[in-house]
Amino acid sequence: MASAKGVLVDITRCIDCESCVVACRLYNGLDADTKGGAKPRQTGKNELAPNRWTVVRDNHVQKDGKTVRRFVKQQCFHCVEPACASACFARAIQKTPEGPVVYNEKLCVGCRYCMIACPFGILRFEWDKPFPRVLKCQMCLSRVADNQMPACASVCPTRAIVFGEREQIVQEANKRIAAKPGLYINQVYGAKEAGGTSWLYISDVPFEQLGFKTNVPEKPIPEYTWQVLKWTPGIFIGWGALLTGMYWYNKRRATVHNEEELYAPVDKK
Amino acid sequence: MKDSLCGTDKKEMTRRTFLKMAAGSGLLVGLAGALSGCAGQGGEHAGGEGWLPYQYNVAGNLPAQVRGRIPIDADNPSIVRDDQKCILCGQCLETCQNIQSVHGYYDLPVIDETICVHCGQCSMACPSGAISERDDTQKVFDALADKSKYVLVQTAPATRVALGEEFGLPPGTWVEGRQVAALKKLGFDAVLDTNFTADLTIMEEGTELIKRIKGEVKKPLPQFTSCSPGWIKFCEYFYPELLPNMSSCKSPQQMFGALAKTYYAKVKGIDPASIVSVSVMPCTAKKFEAQRPEMNDSAEYWKREGLRDVDVVLTTRELARMIKQKKIDFAALPEEKYDSLMGEETGAAIIFGATGGVMEAAARSAYFLITGNQPPPLFLNLTPVRGLTGVKEAAAEIPGVGTLRVAVCHGLANGRKVLDIVRAGNAPWHFIEFMACPGGCIAGGGQPRTAVPPTDAVREQRIAAIYKADASRPKRMSHDNAEVAALYKDFLQHPMSELSEELLHTEYHSRAEKLKRLFALVG
Ligand code: SF4
Ligand code: SF4
Ligand code: SF4
């Protein structure tokens, strides 16, 4: 069995060049946003979307009495025990032994179960397509299975993204924290969150100030999601109907406002 | 396929089969069956375990050689990037780090801004054209269409040896007259010359240098030139302790802007608030410079809020775009002349466009200002400071003061070498010229992208055109500029007068709190 890989994002080293974002788009053949010339920074389009599997969020936070900017690369965490996969009765999402949590659009029935299951709110639904998919980062599975780093990590000029065996990556994270205790806060995000994730983060400002969910349970989520949800088709149908309703509502609203609002039901600011 | 769909036919559950099933058996029944039925049989999901995630098809096209790129902030006033064009080749990063020594010379984490000196050299190196100047042409078209505005334009020394390249002329073609004609055709009310304030800069900066040498101005030597806004921001970021060495003179663009809305407005009887002051520059950093908050001395002068000395800065490339948009046949235009009052130039002003030019022009006039005599021929052909060597030195005898020692550098990585010597207290020089861009303004970040990446061959052709024009001018020294003399007589009185200090000089601000500088690259 292949050993599980992991990725460390060192928030203190990110300079917001968005090389990773472009690499992701090129590698995965995602459509560039045509409006605004695909300048996410300049158009404010830095929310995850079906064609943006990773984004770099710009945070203005207080540190030692001064406002500083911290950039957080966001993408699927690739949980060790992913709730999305376990919520998917169609088995359209699978955890691979190498680490990536991968989605298969051929199997997906479009029920959006995974979206409610994901504790991080990562998945994005193609609200505007006749056969919508639920899209997210695939952690460059074919590269990772070949022991190559994901596309984004391969272009990061400051080595803010580090790839390796998950266990080594956790060690590396702790090593960096120990080497500069004055810089980092003493937490590796993803070491325990949601039962552990393949993508881990270290930072010099508290994670909750950077938009990380800090109320994610440490017990792997699948242990209860599927157990609860699978026997309640009524809730399931209701949820689907609700989402569909919201879709039409939002679509109408979107024509009045702008297209961006299509993602409103799943994006939290 | 060995998938279990409720123990019936072993088939992969696809969206199609799911929808068929849902349609055929009623949504509720279908779903309930899929859910409870499958889960009941050994806890397997409807899709089964059988698909191989490795079949996931990568449709995209990540080039084989990829590297990271430089960060460009959304509010960078000078440069923008179109992510759709970026191929992650890393040329911009290479340029920013190796030629300009900006990227990689500050410690992480960043503080609160993206470090950039706005030189635009990355845009010259970008093979896909992803990085370009921030386009301000619409502002100018709007101003030209507004009949209540008096739109005047100044053109930098270096645009006239490169603009032609946008229209198929060979590098270094002298298009001064055609550039004036094109600007008049575009509808500018007055077409004036930054060369006028280049000569003025020499008068002010030369006087300042002499006062420093004589000890009349209590500021350290060597004096640094201050015409290149990319260089100034670099010094503010990385060598703030050397800012007292920086000449207090504004750049020619900003001197021009301050005079346009004071002197020019007064003499011509125009309300300064109706003037739109446009400049055409070979430089992206000039866009940043014009936006520096302190660059509003015309507002101070008139005690009127809201006046900016320079309203819009266009790069050479943007001017070319405007000419093309208006379908003006540039190459066929007749030669026209600059308008008067702020339109006269000397050879000394023209050479501002090349590395070493400011130094040579300053040396010519410093000789005159100190001795009262015209300089000997050596000063009209100061070859040691010409050419593309990264750091150049020269020494010249000036009767009464002795040997004037000067240095010239271009490209900020070269500047760094000189600055480290000054910082260590080992500088033998009196005066140092710094230009942010390799080759000087003729190869500025706003010039036509005739060769990508820029080549010395193109730089040399443009430089040759500059020195050829200088050699052919009847007046080759800034102190011979008659319009500058008139400006002093009628308005400013003399170099470094109180009014000159107010309008033509400025202060610099340490940006040390914006980064943790590093003096060498850490791998
Ligand atoms: S490539 Fe690296 S430095 Fe650039 S935005 Fe992504 S994580 Fe940050
Ligand atoms: S403009 Fe100059 S300093 Fe800014 S990113 Fe480009 S090369 Fe670097
Ligand atoms: S030089 Fe241009 S194409 Fe290459 S990485 Fe930089 S922005 Fe992208």
Side-chain angles (χ1 to χ4, degrees):
Chain A
M1 198 199 211
S3 60
K5 301 290 193 289
V7 183
L8 174 66
V9 179
D10 185 339
I11 290 169
T12 69
R13 297 199 61 81
C14 179
I15 55 171
D16 190 31
C17 66
E18 295 185 312
S19 303
C20 48
V21 176
V22 175
C24 175
R25 207 192 66 224
L26 292 175
Y27 183 73
N28 293 300
L30 306 176
D31 292 346
D33 294 295
T34 40
K35 274 187 201 148
K39 302 168 194 154
R41 267 285 167 272
Q42 273 130 29
T43 52
K45 285 191 176 178
N46 59 344
E47 297 276 344
L48 291 176
N51 63 343
R52 284 191 297 275
W53 295 355
T54 186
V55 293
V56 179
R57 308 287 300 261
D58 185 356
N59 298 275
H60 293 248
V61 291
Q62 292 297 313
K63 192 194 173 193
D64 307 329
K66 283 206 322 197
T67 302
V68 297
R69 283 171 79 186
R70 286 293 172 269
F71 311 106
V72 180
K73 180 187 183 300
Q74 190 189 21
Q75 74 297 307
C76 170
F77 280 81
H78 298 273
C79 304
V80 174
E81 293 184 51
C84 56
S86 123
C88 178
F89 66 86
R91 287 296 275 170
I93 301 181
Q94 270 195 40
K95 175 78 179 173
T96 61
E98 291 87 352
V101 174
V102 184
Y103 167 79
N104 183 340
E105 63 182 76
K106 283 206 199 120
L107 295 178
C108 174
V109 298
C111 70
R112 286 156 274 167
Y113 237 40
C114 48
M115 289 172 61
I116 18 171
C118 173
F120 302 105
I122 294 296
L123 294 129
R124 291 295 181 272
F125 189 65
E126 294 181 303
W127 296 93
D128 233 8
K129 298 267 168 73
F131 290 94
R133 296 169 296 174
V134 183
L135 294 175
K136 70 169 195 72
C137 161
Q138 303 275 67
M139 201 170 157
C140 298
L141 175 68
S142 30
R143 292 175 64 105
V144 168
D146 194 25
N147 212 9
Q148 288 181 50
M149 49 184 135
C152 54
S154 76
V155 296
C156 178
T158 61
R159 291 186 303 247
I161 314 175
V162 194
F163 172 77
E165 315 273 305
R166 182 175 185 273
E167 276 175 21
Q168 284 173 3
I169 284 295
V170 176
Q171 278 173 22
E172 169 69 18
N174 284 315
K175 218 172 81 192
R176 288 193 187 195
I177 293 173
K180 289 185 187 170
L183 177 65
Y184 295 103
I185 55 159
N186 191 16
Q187 183 185 359
V188 180
Y189 190 96
K192 299 207 189 74
E193 282 72 13
T197 57
S198 306
W199 280 67
L200 302 128
Y201 289 79
I202 52 175
S203 169
D204 65 331
V205 293
F207 286 102
E208 61 266 25
Q209 290 178 29
L210 298 171
F212 282 78
K213 293 205 170 161
T214 41
N215 56 354
V216 179
E218 292 189 355
K219 192 176 162 212
I221 289 157
E223 284 184 20
Y224 37 94
T225 44
W226 177 247
Q227 295 305 322
V228 175
L229 293 174
K230 70 178 176 181
W231 300 114
T232 51
I235 292 178
F236 170 65
I237 303 284
W239 177 251
L242 174 72
L243 283 176
T244 310
M246 276 167 81
Y247 165 57
W248 286 111
Y249 168 71
N250 276 292
K251 194 173 168 62
R252 243 195 34 201
R253 210 167 52 134
T255 51
V256 183
H257 294 286
N258 69 61
E259 194 191 49
E260 270 305 272
E261 295 215 34
L262 283 176
Y263 306 122
V266 286
D267 279 340
K268 61 252 128 312
K269 285 256 150 80
Chain B
M1 231 160 265
K2 276 283 158 202
D3 292 352
S4 80
L5 183 63
C6 308
T8 57
D9 214 18
K10 315 267 181 227
K11 245 192 190 165
E12 198 182 56
M13 170 82 110
T14 64
R15 190 193 310 269
R16 184 179 288 271
T17 54
F18 170 77
L19 289 171
K20 254 194 199 159
M21 175 185 76
S25 52
L27 193 62
L28 192 74
V29 182
L31 275 170
L35 284 164
S36 53
C38 296
Q41 292 181 3
E44 260 198 23
H45 303 311
E49 304 279 2
W51 65 277
L52 289 174
Y54 310 97
Q55 293 161 349
Y56 167 67
N57 269 332
V58 174
N61 194 5
L62 186 70
Q65 287 293 324
V66 282
R67 279 203 54 196
R69 54 188 202 166
I70 46 129
I72 298 179
D73 206 12
D75 58 11
N76 192 313
S78 299
I79 50 171
V80 295
R81 175 165 45 210
D82 185 343
D83 271 358
Q84 239 175 320
K85 293 186 185 158
C86 176
I87 52 170
L88 294 174
C89 68
Q91 291 304 309
C92 50
L93 189 120
E94 201 115 310
T95 302
C96 194
Q97 179 166 302
N98 299 338
I99 296 182
Q100 300 301 56
S101 66
V102 172
H103 177 85
Y105 285 83
Y106 52 91
D107 205 2
L108 300 175
V110 297
I111 299 176
D112 64 352
E113 72 179 30
T114 300
I115 306 305
C116 174
V117 302
H118 313 289
C119 66
Q121 284 302 309
C122 50
S123 77
M124 305 304 287
C126 177
S128 68
I131 303 182
S132 52
E133 64 287 345
R134 185 175 282 280
D135 190 312
D136 290 313
T137 56
Q138 197 51 48
K139 288 185 198 160
V140 177
F141 277 127
D142 291 349
L144 290 170
D146 184 345
K147 285 296 151 232
S148 70
K149 296 287 183 202
Y150 186 92
V151 190
L152 57 78
V153 61
Q154 54 167 317
T155 64
T159 64
R160 66 202 74 188
V161 294
L163 178 62
E165 294 160 33
E166 288 275 352
F167 301 93
L169 298 171
T173 307
W174 184 260
V175 295
E176 180 181 292
R178 280 177 275 187
Q179 179 178 264
V180 174
L183 290 164
K184 294 205 162 156
K185 260 201 144 66
L186 285 170
F188 286 94
D189 296 296
V191 180
L192 302 165
D193 201 352
T194 316
N195 282 0
F196 165 80
T197 37
D199 281 330
L200 182 64
T201 301
I202 290 301
M203 298 305 287
E204 295 288 328
E205 200 163 343
T207 306
E208 183 186 352
L209 176 65
I210 292 162
K211 284 185 189 264
R212 283 192 198 221
I213 293 175
K214 290 188 178 163
E216 291 166 24
V217 165
K218 297 272 172 280
K219 283 190 182 168
L221 288 171
Q223 176 173 303
F224 297 164
T225 60
S226 57
C227 318
S228 169
W231 141 244
I232 289 176
K233 198 177 185 204
F234 180 84
C235 193
E236 289 175 328
Y237 271 141
F238 294 101
Y239 294 87
E241 66 276 27
L242 297 181
L243 285 173
N245 293 68
M246 186 79 75
S247 162
S248 63
C249 289
K250 287 182 183 173
S251 73
Q253 162 176 283
Q254 292 306 134
M255 286 197 183
F256 192 102
L259 291 172
K261 291 193 181 177
T262 56
Y263 173 66
Y264 190 86
K266 255 189 167 168
V267 174
K268 295 276 174 182
I270 306 167
D271 175 9
S274 72
I275 293 179
V276 178
S277 160
V278 178
S279 67
V280 179
M281 294 285 139
C283 179
T284 47
K286 293 279 172 195
K287 289 177 186 272
F288 164 77
E289 182 185 40
Q291 290 184 13
R292 291 177 73 115
E294 66 272 20
M295 294 297 174
N296 64 343
D297 287 327
S298 52
E300 298 279 312
Y301 179 85
W302 294 107
K303 305 271 175 275
R304 282 169 74 168
E305 301 246 319
L307 292 180
R308 298 292 306 168
D309 294 344
V310 174
D311 294 295
V312 192
V313 179
L314 297 176
T315 58
T316 317
R317 298 196 289 264
E318 286 165 276
L319 174 60
R321 221 177 294 138
M322 288 181 72
I323 295 171
K324 288 172 190 168
Q325 257 180 52
K326 289 290 168 195
K327 302 205 164 49
I328 296 169
D329 183 0
F330 182 81
L333 285 174
E335 309 245 322
E336 288 190 47
K337 283 203 167 8
Y338 283 101
D339 291 317
S340 59
L341 200 61
M342 291 171 66
E344 184 177 335
E345 66 178 11
T346 70
I350 296 172
I351 61 175
F352 260 63
T355 164
V358 178
M359 182 55 69
E360 186 169 341
R364 292 177 191 175
S365 286
Y367 190 97
F368 171 80
L369 291 170
I370 292 169
T371 65
N373 301 318
Q374 293 291 27
L378 163 75
F379 284 79
L380 294 175
N381 201 5
L382 205 55
T383 42
V385 299
R386 296 188 180 181
L388 290 175
T389 310
V391 181
K392 299 167 275 186
E393 285 184 276
E397 288 306 321
I398 299 185
V401 284
T403 312
L404 183 71
R405 291 183 189 281
V406 301
V408 170
C409 50
H410 52 122
L412 292 168
N414 291 324
R416 195 175 267 282
K417 293 179 198 154
V418 174
L419 287 161
D420 286 337
I421 297 173
V422 178
R423 247 182 114 244
N426 298 329
W429 312 291
H430 299 100
F431 195 25
I432 307 176
E433 176 198 293
F434 290 89
M435 287 192 190
C437 294
C441 313
I442 49 100
Q447 290 282 63
R449 290 185 268 225
T450 303
V452 177
T455 60
D456 279 351
V458 171
R459 289 188 184 107
E460 276 159 4
Q461 282 167 292
R462 293 177 185 165
I463 289 175
I466 289 246
Y467 285 112
K468 190 171 156 225
D470 167 39
S472 71
R473 284 294 181 279
K475 291 182 185 175
R476 296 182 61 192
M477 286 166 283
S478 299
H479 52 271
D480 291 339
N481 186 317
E483 285 185 355
V484 169
L487 168 71
Y488 279 120
K489 186 168 136 297
D490 300 337
F491 190 62
L492 296 172
Q493 295 164 338
H494 56 84
M496 297 184 79
S497 70
E498 210 176 301
L499 188 56
S500 300
E501 291 280 355
E502 187 187 322
L503 294 176
L504 310 181
H505 292 255
T506 186
E507 287 168 353
Y508 308 101
H509 310 284
S510 165
R511 295 176 194 270
E513 79 286 359
K514 296 294 180 191
L515 50 70
K516 279 166 270 167
R517 64 177 164 174
L518 299 170
F519 287 104
L521 268 186
V522 277

